[in-house]
Amino acid sequence: MRDKLRVREWFFAAVGAITLALVPSLAGAATTAPAQHSRQLAGRYLNLHQCLYYSASAADHFTTFVQSQDNRFLAGTNVSDTQDSTPACGGGDGNYGLIGLLSGVKPMDLRGGRYLNLHQCTYYSASAVNYFTTAVPSRDGRFLAGTNVSNTPESKVNCGSGDGNYTVVPNLSYVQTLDLTSGTFLDLHQCVYYSDANTDHFTTLLGGGRPFATGTKVSTTAETAPVCAAGTQGYNLLPILPGVKALPVT
């Protein structure tokens, strides 16, 4: 009987030792398991395309980020599992042609953060009386914009200084932080304004209570009509060049 008790005591002691040895391993496995993304993405990358058009006769630039309503001026912004490296743009309408060096594309990994920090940088030439807008860096690196996906909401716009002739306009350059977890679509609104007096187009991409604001936001609705403020100081909304693209983010 005494021998049986000793065997039983040895057995339970051995089981206890094995259990204690396993516990740290299981805890370690739990802490080192790869983090899972809480939201299901429609595609891994937001490819933001920027297409910049120019008329030599008017000495006038303007930008598209989505297709214009009249389909003359294109931009290939999309959500995809592929990173785009070349901007996809239309050829223009004959008068306004594509400027490849000032166009650009930025692929942003939607797994990289909760927020899309959308930077709008507006540049101006006093000699040409001409505005144009960037949201991603131009291909030649002269005209920058700090648009990114991050876990940090940004409040300060990040723009380059320009090239000497065209310089950044601080009161027309902004950043808008969009929470990508707050809806299923990124509704990207593009608004284009025109001054008859200056023969000048001006494109905006961001929302807010400003005279050139757009309806850009994250929502549960795929919007089909661009939302644009009316403009000010002789720059009036053009009905045919604005556009909107609903990009699925979840």
Side-chain angles (χ1 to χ4, degrees):
M1 177 65 73
R2 187 174 297 171
D3 290 340
K4 288 182 179 180
L5 287 173
R6 286 176 181 167
V7 169
R8 185 176 297 174
E9 288 171 357
W10 175 87
F11 174 78
F12 284 115
V15 170
I18 292 170
T19 302
L20 288 172
L22 286 175
V23 167
S25 299
L26 292 173
T31 56
T32 58
Q36 298 297 314
H37 296 282
S38 58
R39 54 194 174 101
Q40 189 70 34
L41 299 177
R44 179 170 175 179
Y45 299 101
L46 167 61
N47 295 300
L48 181 57
H49 290 246
Q50 168 181 292
C51 300
L52 209 135
Y53 298 90
Y54 178 72
S55 167
S57 61
D60 177 33
H61 300 80
F62 77 94
T63 316
T64 60
F65 303 97
V66 302
Q67 183 170 304
S68 62
Q69 288 198 100
D70 63 3
N71 298 323
R72 288 180 299 156
F73 300 98
L74 309 181
T77 295
N78 67 83
V79 170
S80 167
D81 285 323
T82 303
Q83 297 183 73
D84 294 346
S85 58
T86 303
C89 303
D93 66 350
N95 183 18
Y96 283 81
L98 182 69
I99 304 296
L101 284 177
L102 298 181
S103 301
V105 59
K106 185 169 185 177
M108 290 167 282
D109 192 340
L110 292 172
R111 302 186 311 175
R114 175 175 176 175
Y115 301 104
L116 171 63
N117 295 304
L118 193 56
H119 292 248
Q120 172 185 296
C121 298
T122 300
Y123 297 89
Y124 178 71
S125 167
S127 61
V129 193
N130 178 221
Y131 293 95
F132 71 85
T133 303
T134 63
V136 304
S138 61
R139 297 180 83 187
D140 63 5
R142 288 182 296 158
F143 301 98
L144 306 181
T147 296
N148 66 85
V149 170
S150 167
N151 280 317
T152 304
E154 296 177 353
S155 58
K156 184 178 180 181
V157 66
N158 181 12
C159 301
S161 57
D163 67 351
N165 182 20
Y166 283 83
T167 57
V168 72
V169 183
N171 66 343
L172 292 176
S173 300
Y174 313 101
V175 59
Q176 182 175 357
T177 295
L178 301 167
D179 187 343
L180 294 169
T181 68
S182 64
T184 50
F185 296 97
L186 167 61
D187 293 314
L188 200 60
H189 291 250
Q190 163 188 293
C191 300
V192 181
Y193 300 86
Y194 183 71
S195 166
D196 285 313
N198 297 329
T199 319
D200 182 37
H201 294 79
F202 169 48
T203 304
T204 61
L205 196 59
L206 303 189
R210 297 175 286 267
F212 300 107
T214 82
T216 292
K217 62 181 181 296
V218 174
S219 80
T220 56
T221 304
E223 297 185 342
T224 57
V227 174
C228 302
T232 189
Q233 296 182 1
Y235 281 82
N236 300 310
L237 181 66
L238 280 177
I240 59 174
L241 294 183
V244 60
K245 188 164 189 177
L247 299 157
V249 291
T250 58

